[in-house]
Amino acid sequence: MIMEPNNEWMNDPELQKIDKAKLDFLNKMFVQSTTINSNGNQAEAQKKMMTFLMSLNKLSKDNNISFDSEDVALIFSVLKKYATPHDIDKMQKISSFFHSR
């Protein structure tokens, strides 16, 4: 997921109710996710995605960060305002991973 380098989305007024630690965590997630791209074959991309998601899961547990369904819905709605269609596709894939648990 390649978001704008200035992370303008993090300053969106709708996110004022979200804890700053959660927003910082999301920023780290987006920076790390730039290593996941659609180049190469599908098996490679899936392996990279799984590795990323596992590290994301560990990072969230290590930092005691969790998002309730309201947080997730709000964050996704804000991100979509700043995202490309490709970014939105990646967000939906990541979201579906967490919803399938």
Side-chain angles (χ1 to χ4, degrees), residues 2 11 14 24 32 35 48 50 59 65 71 74 94:
I2 301 172
N11 297 317
E14 291 185 53
D24 289 342
Q32 288 180 358
T35 63
K48 286 181 182 179
M50 286 305 297
L59 184 63
I65 300 283
D71 288 341
L74 176 60
I94 291 170

Side-chain angles (χ1 to χ4, degrees), residues 33 35-53 86 90 93:
S33 71
T35 63
I36 301 170
N37 58 46
S38 57
N39 298 335
N41 64 39
Q42 186 173 0
E44 266 182 31
Q46 287 177 340
K47 184 177 178 180
K48 286 181 182 179
M49 179 66 77
M50 286 305 297
T51 300
F52 168 70
L53 291 172
H86 181 71
K90 281 191 176 184
K93 287 178 183 174

Side-chain angles (χ1 to χ4, degrees), residues 3 9 30 74-83 91:
M3 301 298 289
W9 64 272
F30 289 125
L74 176 60
I75 291 164
F76 275 128
S77 72
V78 169
L79 286 172
K80 286 179 182 180
K81 292 194 287 187
Y82 300 90
M91 284 188 279

Side-chain angles (χ1 to χ4, degrees), residues 9-69:
W9 64 272
M10 290 183 69
N11 297 317
D12 192 289
E14 291 185 53
L15 295 178
Q16 289 179 348
K17 295 180 183 178
I18 304 287
D19 185 332
K20 175 97 170 95
K22 290 181 181 183
L23 292 176
D24 289 342
F25 173 79
L26 287 175
N27 187 45
K28 288 178 189 176
M29 179 184 77
F30 289 125
V31 168
Q32 288 180 358
S33 71
T34 60
T35 63
I36 301 170
N37 58 46
S38 57
N39 298 335
N41 64 39
Q42 186 173 0
E44 266 182 31
Q46 287 177 340
K47 184 177 178 180
K48 286 181 182 179
M49 179 66 77
M50 286 305 297
T51 300
F52 168 70
L53 291 172
M54 297 312 275
S55 69
L56 181 62
N57 188 39
K58 182 180 181 338
L59 184 63
S60 67
K61 286 182 181 179
D62 290 351
N63 291 287
N64 199 27
I65 300 283
S66 63
F67 297 90
D68 62 30
S69 59

Side-chain angles (χ1 to χ4, degrees), residues 50 53 93-101:
M50 286 305 297
L53 291 172
K93 287 178 183 174
I94 291 170
S95 175
S96 67
F97 172 82
F98 287 105
H99 285 75
S100 65
R101 298 169 109 196

